[in-house]
Amino acid sequence: MPIQIRRATEADIPELSRLVAALAAWEQSLDPRTQFDWDGIRAAPNWMKLVLNRAHHAVWVADTGIDARLAGHLWIRLKHQTDGALPRSIGYISQAFMDEAFRGRGLMKPMLEAAYEWFRDAGITVVTLSVLHRNWVGATAWHRLGFSDWREERRMDLKPRPK
């Protein structure tokens, strides 16, 4: 059965929650500085329902057609810039994850095409995302999908105050 790319529904929440947790685990495995509130991750069924019902968010899934199993997801949103940067509203890719067994099959591309149409309908002309520095798989995939380097984020962990 071919994999179907479609908008997520509330029926997908259990699988979306699994994919959110898989993404968190993947990122933690890549960089020990990456940490997640696992109670918050386990609460994904609650907040994912809110995401699916917000007009400024959209989620696409790659549906395997087998036992409601999803191969991956793409979660996007509108981001309003209030710091004077133009354009004032941009598209933002909040999350994207593909189960390892389904990577390299070109499944993200049709999800992105659907997302681009959604962004265009909202008048969006710029789309950004953030990828973990040590996520070479993701960074390479995003470059292949047409994204270019634009801005780098830096991190510094503050040491506690001396006692």
Side-chain angles (χ1 to χ4, degrees):
M1 178 176 268
I3 293 175
Q4 178 189 9
I5 305 303
R6 61 173 176 74
R7 285 286 294 267
T9 67
E10 287 189 17
D12 295 316
I13 289 175
E15 271 295 283
L16 284 169
S17 299
R18 180 187 66 79
L19 292 168
V20 166
L23 174 59
W26 166 255
E27 287 192 348
Q28 276 192 194
S29 75
L30 295 174
D31 190 326
R33 298 171 296 178
T34 305
Q35 297 180 9
F36 289 90
D37 171 2
W38 284 94
D39 288 335
I41 297 293
R42 283 187 286 277
N46 300 324
W47 53 261
M48 188 56 72
K49 185 174 183 176
L50 296 172
V51 166
L52 291 178
N53 289 298
R54 289 184 174 150
H56 63 286
H57 289 253
V59 180
W60 277 267
V61 295
D63 186 344
T64 66
I66 302 169
D67 298 327
R69 184 109 174 141
L70 300 177
H73 76 294
L74 173 68
W75 170 9
I76 65 172
R77 66 183 173 92
L78 301 179
K79 185 176 179 183
H80 301 290
Q81 304 189 107
T82 58
D83 60 358
L86 294 175
R88 291 194 191 280
S89 293
I90 62 172
Y92 188 75
I93 296 176
S94 293
Q95 285 189 6
F97 186 76
M98 195 65 59
D99 273 337
E100 190 170 358
F102 295 94
R103 291 181 193 153
R105 295 189 190 185
L107 296 172
M108 193 58 68
K109 190 171 184 173
M111 283 194 280
L112 279 170
E113 290 302 325
Y116 297 155
E117 288 306 310
W118 187 87
F119 284 135
R120 286 182 186 108
D121 288 345
I124 297 299
T125 59
V126 174
V127 179
T128 66
L129 60 85
S130 175
V131 63
L132 190 64
H133 176 70
R134 294 182 182 176
N135 184 354
W136 300 110
V137 171
T140 301
W142 290 118
H143 276 282
R144 274 196 317 263
L145 289 163
F147 286 81
S148 60
D149 292 340
W150 174 60
R151 183 176 279 195
E152 276 194 49
E153 187 173 353
R154 299 285 187 240
R155 174 184 167 138
M156 181 180 79
D157 294 331
L158 291 177
K159 295 177 182 159
R161 285 189 176 107
K163 294 181 181 183

